[in-house]
DNA sequence: TAATATGATTATGT
DNA sequence: ACATAATCATATTA
C-alpha cells in the first residue's frame, strides 16, 4: 500500500536520492541470524525502530502477497451456498429463525402449509403440542448458534491478536489477516450449517409426526357424509361436482373444498372397485334424495342432459319406487347400460366407471339373485 | 387385536 | 388443473 511507485519487485530497489538505501537494512536483517540471541534482540529492536521499517514491511508484505495469492487465491469456496440458503429459508418458514418477535402471521401459514389438502379443520387444538416442541427446538437452536458465534468471535480476536503480534517480526499484511478471519468464519459457518441441517431434520420429523394430517385423521361428521353421499348417489351417473357444487357441499358439510374433492375421488374409485359393497348405502341415499330436494346448486354446468328426469324424480336415475329401485340399481350399475333412450351423447354418462377392473365379485353377467353373496366379500 | 373403513397423499396420465 | 389408482396411516369395528 505504502510503496506505490514501485513498478516491479525483482529489480534492485531504485535508489531515491537523499534516502538511506534499503539494501543496508536488508543486510542487517540477514546478519541477524548470525548474532547471538541477546544481540539479536537488540538488533531487532533497533530495526523495529528504524524509520524505514514501515516501508520495508509493506514491501515485504506485497511480495508475500504476490506469492501467496497465486497459491491460495485459486480456491474460492462457497459451493454449498445454495444449500445454506435453502436451509435458512426453511428455518425461517418454520418459524425457527424468527427474530424473537410475535409477528408470526404469514410465514408459517403461507409458506408452510401451502398444500391444498393440508390441515383444514383442526388447526390449533392438535398443534399446541407441536408448538411446544418447536419452541424447544428453537431454543436449542438459538443457544447453540449463540455459542458458535461467541466461539467464533473469541477465536477471531485471538487469531487477529496473534497475527498482529507476529506482524512485528514477519510480514503480515492486513489483507492477510482479513483472509484468515474470513477463513475462520468459513469454518464456523460450516459448523453452523450442520446445526441448521440437523435442526431442519428435527423440525421435519416433528412436522411429520404431529402435523401431518394423515396421522390425525378424523372422520367427517355425520352431516358431512350425509351431504356427500346424497350428492354422490343422486348423481351416480356423473359424480363429478362442479366447483360451485363442491363449494356448496363443503359449506353444507362443514369441510373444505379440497376435502370434498378428496372424498369424491375416494368414493368414485372405491365405488367402482366394489360396487356390490355400496349397494345398501346406495339404496338408502337414493331413497333419501328422492324425497329430499337437496339441490346442490348447479347453475350452469353439465345440466344439459342430467336434468331430464327432474320433473318426476329428483335423482338422475329412474326411480319408480323404493322397492324397484334396488333391482334397477343393480342392473344399471353392474351392466352399465345407457339409461333408456336419454342423452347418450355425453360420454360421462355412466362411462366414468367403464373399464371395469377385474373384480371377481362382479359376476360375469348380471345375476340379480345373488345380491348378498357378492356383498359379503 | 386383526380386519376393515376412511381421509389424505402421491405418482401418473390427460 | 383435474382424474385415477395406489398407497399410507389412522379410526373404527368385530
Amino acid at each position: 500500500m505504502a510503496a506505490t511507485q514501485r513498478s516491479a519487485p525483482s529489480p534492485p530497489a531504485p535508489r531515491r536520492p537523499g534516502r538511506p538505501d534499503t539494501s543496508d537494512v536488508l543486510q542487517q536483517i540477514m546478519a541477524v541470524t548470525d548474532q547471538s540471541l541477546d544481540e539479536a534482540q537488540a538488533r531487532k529492536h533497533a530495526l523495529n525502530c528504524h524509520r524505514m521499517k514501515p516501508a520495508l514491511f509493506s514491501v515485504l508484505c506485497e511480495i508475500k502477497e504476490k506469492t501467496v495469492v497465486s497459491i491460495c487465491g485459486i480456491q474460492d469456496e462457497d459451493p454449498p451456498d445454495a444449500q445454506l440458503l435453502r436451509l435458512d429459508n426453511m428455518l425461517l418458514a418454520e418459524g425457527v429463525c424468527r427474530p424473537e418477535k410475535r409477528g408470526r402471521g404469514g410465514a408459517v401459514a403461507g409458506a408452510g402449509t401451502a398444500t391444498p389438502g393440508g390441515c383444514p379443520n383442526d388447526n390449533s387444538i392438535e398443534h399446541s403440542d407441536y408448538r411446544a416442541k418447536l419452541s424447544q427446538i428453537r431454543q436449542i437452536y438459538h443457544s447453540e448458534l449463540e455459542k458458535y458465534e461467541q466461539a467464533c468471535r473469541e477465536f477471531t480476536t485471538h487469531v487477529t491478536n496473534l497475527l498482529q503480534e507476529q506482524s512485528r517480526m514477519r510480514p503480515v499484511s492486513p489483507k492477510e489477516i482479513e483472509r484468515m478471519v474470513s477463513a475462520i468464519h468459513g469454518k464456523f459457518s460450516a459448523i453452523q450449517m450442520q446445526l441448521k441441517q440437523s435442526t431442519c431434520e428435527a423440525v421435519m420429523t416433528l412436522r411429520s409426526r404431529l402435523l401431518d394430517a394423515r396421522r390425525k385423521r378424523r372422520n367427517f361428521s355425520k352431516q358431512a357424509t350425509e351431504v356427500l353421499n346424497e350428492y354422490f348417489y343422486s348423481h351416480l351417473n356423473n359424480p363429478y361436482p362442479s366447483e360451485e357444487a363442491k363449494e356448496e357441499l363443503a359449506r353444507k358439510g362443514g369441510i373444505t373444498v379440497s376435502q370434498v374433492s378428496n372424498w369424491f375421488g375416494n368414493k368414485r374409485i372405491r365405488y367402482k372397485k366394489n360396487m356390490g359393497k355400496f349397494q345398501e348405502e346406495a339404496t338408502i341415499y337414493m331413497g333419501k334424495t328422492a324425497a329430499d330436494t337437496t339441490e346442490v346448486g348447479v347453475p350452469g354446468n353439465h345440466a344439459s342432459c342430467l336434468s331430464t328426469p327432474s320433473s318426476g324424480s329428483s335423482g338422475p336415475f329412474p326411480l319408480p319406487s323404493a322397492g324397484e329401485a334396488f333391482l334397477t340399481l343393480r342392473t344399471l350399475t353392474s351392466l352399465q347400460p345407457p339409461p333408456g333412450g336419454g342423452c347418450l351423447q355425453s360420454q360421462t354418462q355412466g362411462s366414468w366407471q367403464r373399464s371395469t377392473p377385474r373384480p371377481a365379485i362382479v359376476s360375469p353377467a348380471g345375476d340379480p339373485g345373488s345380491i348378498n353373496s357378492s356383498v359379503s366379500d
Side-chain angles (χ1 to χ4, degrees):
Chain A
M1 281 249 193
T4 47
Q5 75 280 30
R6 194 185 40 76
S7 57
S10 31
R15 286 164 107 134
R16 315 273 285 168
R19 299 274 181 92
D21 54 274
T22 51
S23 65
D24 279 356
V25 182
L26 285 170
Q27 283 291 327
Q28 288 176 24
I29 293 172
M30 300 302 269
V32 162
T33 47
D34 300 331
Q35 321 269 330
S36 73
L37 226 63
D38 282 348
E39 237 175 322
Q41 283 296 20
R43 307 275 313 175
K44 256 165 69 181
H45 185 70
L47 283 171
N48 261 330
C49 298
H50 197 282
R51 60 195 172 89
M52 283 303 287
K53 189 250 177 184
L56 180 63
F57 182 79
S58 72
V59 168
L60 286 172
C61 278
E62 275 196 44
I63 292 168
K64 188 181 170 189
E65 194 72 20
K66 293 252 157 141
T67 52
V68 166
V69 161
S70 61
I71 297 164
C72 298
I74 301 160
Q75 41 155 5
D76 261 9
E77 69 272 14
D78 291 3
D81 206 21
Q83 199 191 351
L84 187 66
L85 209 68
R86 270 213 340 263
L87 289 174
D88 277 341
N89 283 339
M90 203 189 117
L91 289 172
L92 209 67
E94 295 297 333
V96 177
C97 270
R98 99 169 132 268
E100 304 288 343
K101 288 279 181 184
R102 297 286 131 191
R104 53 160 303 273
V108 174
T113 59
T115 48
C119 36
N121 30 5
D122 49 345
N123 260 11
S124 38
I125 309 144
E126 311 278 354
H127 297 177
S128 58
D129 202 13
Y130 170 78
R131 287 214 218 295
K133 292 247 163 61
L134 186 67
S135 86
Q136 212 173 331
I137 289 178
R138 192 167 57 228
Q139 199 178 331
I140 292 169
Y141 170 79
H142 279 124
S143 82
E144 288 295 304
L145 203 67
E146 178 56 35
K147 262 193 263 176
Y148 289 155
E149 267 163 9
Q150 184 171 348
C152 184
R153 277 195 302 271
E154 279 173 14
F155 195 65
T156 301
T157 53
H158 182 72
V159 166
T160 308
N161 288 341
L162 212 63
L163 285 175
Q164 261 159 8
E165 184 86 12
Q166 291 196 353
S167 75
R168 288 217 304 247
M169 44 209 99
R170 68 186 183 93
V172 180
S173 66
K175 220 171 163 185
E176 199 181 337
I177 296 177
E178 201 179 301
R179 251 208 316 275
M180 187 65 87
V181 166
S182 79
I184 293 168
H185 285 173
K187 294 290 178 200
F188 272 90
S189 81
I191 298 173
Q192 281 189 5
M193 196 163 89
Q194 282 187 335
L195 173 69
K196 284 176 183 178
Q197 193 145 23
S198 51
T199 305
C200 274
E201 267 174 44
V203 170
M204 290 318 269
T205 311
L206 193 68
R207 258 189 102 74
S208 69
R209 284 185 90 128
L210 296 176
L211 222 50
D212 196 341
R214 282 203 295 202
R215 293 185 180 266
K216 290 287 170 193
R217 187 175 69 73
R218 304 269 100 168
N219 287 356
F220 290 162
S221 65
K222 198 86 176 161
Q223 166 81 0
T225 37
E226 196 90 345
V227 169
L228 293 166
N229 273 314
E230 275 173 18
Y231 187 96
F232 182 79
Y233 287 110
S234 67
H235 300 76
L236 197 52
N237 47 8
N238 188 33
Y240 297 87
S242 65
E243 196 55 38
E244 293 94 41
K246 280 182 192 170
E247 279 168 26
E248 180 81 10
L249 288 167
R251 194 184 57 72
K252 282 187 178 175
I255 55 179
T256 68
V257 173
S258 332
Q259 285 178 304
V260 172
S261 298
N262 286 339
W263 189 91
F264 271 89
N266 283 323
K267 192 70 179 181
R268 281 191 297 262
I269 195 73
R270 282 163 186 167
Y271 180 84
K272 185 164 86 171
K273 252 184 176 166
N274 192 354
M275 286 188 236
K277 203 161 57 179
F278 289 93
Q279 290 317 305
E280 199 174 339
E281 189 177 86
T283 53
I284 292 169
Y285 283 104
M286 298 200 40
K288 224 175 230 234
T289 50
D292 185 21
T293 49
T294 327
E295 293 307 322
V296 180
V298 191
N301 65 345
H302 49 21
S304 58
C305 85
L306 280 187
S307 56
T308 27
S310 62
S311 57
S313 60
S314 63
F317 272 22
L319 285 191
S321 69
E324 285 277 347
F326 199 81
L327 281 180
T328 318
L329 177 65
R330 275 204 63 76
T331 46
L332 280 174
T333 51
S334 57
L335 299 175
Q336 43 182 311
C343 40
L344 288 188
Q345 97 281 45
S346 161
Q347 283 170 314
T348 52
Q349 281 256 355
S351 75
W352 70 274
Q353 37 179 328
R354 65 176 146 42
S355 81
T356 310
R358 48 278 161 208
I361 308 108
V362 175
S363 42
D367 53 345
S370 63
I371 293 164
N372 287 332
S373 64
S374 67
V375 171
S376 66
D377 176 51

